[in-house]
Amino acid sequence: MESWTCAPYGGSVILPSTGRTHCAYCNQLDPTFDHLEQHNHGNCQQEIRSFRRKDHLLQHLRLFHRLDTMPLIDNWKTAVTEFPSRCGFCDNRMETWTERADHLSAHFRKGCTMAQWEGDHEFPPEIAAQVRYSVPPYLLDFESRTFVPFSATDGVVNDHLSQMLSRASFLEARGESQALPESPEAELQSVPEPQLETYTEVLTRHLSHYAQQMMGNGIIPTDEMFQLEARRLLFDSEDQWNQTMADNHEWLAKFRGEQGT
């Protein structure tokens, strides 16, 4: 895990290659206070500006500091290696990333597979928020055996996600529900949200909206109803051979708990 901090060593830095003071933003020699203010340095330094992703820092430099040419920022990165997590094979608790890697490697060398994993990683919220393009670890084995296994890079998965988005229905950004269908069987109105990056997010948002619509009609959705709706979303089909993560009891129980259903 890593984080990126804007100008962590200040606006004026001494480069080892020259032994001279340079502007951290544009590399100009011996920058004055007025020069740094042209980069909006003072306003930025009123608080620590940290970013979970490098591209977010680059966007900050372009927009906030109005830079066209990016400075060297490799040493603006901080590795985050000390945070708690758990092992889904034995429920052991670990405090660092190195300890985690060594511990899990030992399990895999003994022949463990993700089919034996139970529960989540239990990363702290600020760490979990940095994990992108993923599915819960207890679903990895299940996913590997589906018709379109999860992948963060496979174009087929991206095509499948686009198809799901064309069928998905969500709560609007302001939190208001769309118009309720005339009957429980009525087709849900499509509201594509391309900023959603994984079908885990799409499915969760869609089923959440589905649950609120059903309860708005006085119907408490059953597990079977959620599973059927998930098949419609992922495969445009109600065939029970088409399994989704809603068919995983652990995922569905967690989802229902979060939704209060």
Side-chain angles (χ1 to χ4, degrees):
M1 300 296 176
E2 59 190 31
S3 64
W4 297 81
T5 303
C6 182
Y9 308 108
S12 299
V13 295
I14 298 177
L15 295 186
S17 58
T18 65
R20 300 278 301 276
T21 301
H22 293 254
C23 173
Y25 301 103
C26 69
N27 211 33
Q28 178 172 309
L29 277 170
D30 302 319
T32 64
F33 175 83
D34 289 339
H35 173 84
L36 293 179
E37 286 308 296
Q38 292 177 10
H39 293 305
N40 211 12
H41 175 70
N43 289 332
C44 184
Q45 294 299 302
Q46 291 178 8
E47 59 180 286
I48 297 176
R49 301 294 181 103
S50 293
F51 304 87
R52 294 169 181 159
R53 291 165 45 187
K54 182 179 181 179
D55 59 311
H56 288 173
L57 171 59
L58 294 176
Q59 183 181 48
H60 168 77
L61 291 171
R62 291 190 188 97
L63 299 179
F64 191 85
H65 295 288
R66 300 185 290 274
L67 298 183
D68 295 323
T69 302
M70 293 298 107
L72 296 175
I73 61 173
D74 289 344
N75 64 343
W76 294 11
K77 178 175 69 173
T78 302
V80 181
T81 60
E82 296 188 3
F83 53 86
S85 63
R86 69 174 288 275
C87 171
F89 295 122
C90 67
D91 202 35
N92 186 60
R93 305 289 162 157
M94 296 150 287
E95 296 301 323
T96 69
W97 185 257
T98 300
E99 180 186 1
R100 178 180 180 81
D102 292 342
H103 179 87
L104 296 184
S105 294
H107 278 299
F108 288 126
R109 285 196 297 270
K110 293 177 182 178
C112 291
T113 70
M114 292 307 293
Q116 299 164 271
W117 185 283
E118 296 181 357
D120 216 326
H121 300 296
E122 295 189 11
F123 295 139
E126 65 274 15
I127 297 298
Q130 298 184 49
V131 181
R132 305 172 65 237
Y133 307 113
S134 66
V135 296
Y138 55 82
L139 287 176
L140 287 174
D141 177 72
F142 170 82
E143 275 297 305
S144 69
R145 294 180 279 105
T146 59
F147 181 69
V148 184
F150 169 80
S151 169
T153 57
D154 191 341
V156 173
V157 175
N158 291 332
D159 289 342
H160 191 206
L161 178 60
S162 297
Q163 294 174 29
M164 288 174 58
L165 284 167
S166 71
R167 295 189 287 266
S169 176
F170 309 125
L171 289 178
E172 296 178 359
R174 62 180 179 272
E176 297 177 1
S177 178
Q178 299 170 7
L180 297 176
E182 295 179 359
S183 68
E185 294 77 25
E187 183 177 353
L188 299 177
Q189 185 179 358
S190 174
V191 182
E193 292 199 6
Q195 70 269 24
L196 297 177
E197 297 170 321
T198 69
Y199 80 82
T200 307
E201 297 172 319
V202 176
L203 178 61
T204 301
R205 291 283 300 278
H206 178 81
L207 291 184
S208 176
H209 185 207
Y210 172 78
Q212 293 198 31
Q213 287 193 309
M214 293 301 102
M215 289 189 289
N217 281 343
I219 301 171
I220 303 299
T222 64
D223 287 356
E224 291 74 18
M225 291 173 66
F226 280 128
Q227 291 161 352
L228 188 62
E229 184 62 27
R231 294 185 192 109
R232 294 188 188 115
L233 175 67
L234 267 72
F235 302 106
D236 197 22
S237 167
E238 299 180 1
D239 191 335
Q240 294 187 8
W241 284 102
N242 293 323
Q243 296 285 288
T244 75
M245 63 177 59
D247 290 288
N248 180 281
H249 296 298
E250 185 173 356
W251 184 89
L252 188 56
K254 183 177 180 181
F255 170 81
R256 295 191 72 113
E258 292 172 348
Q259 301 300 315
T261 62

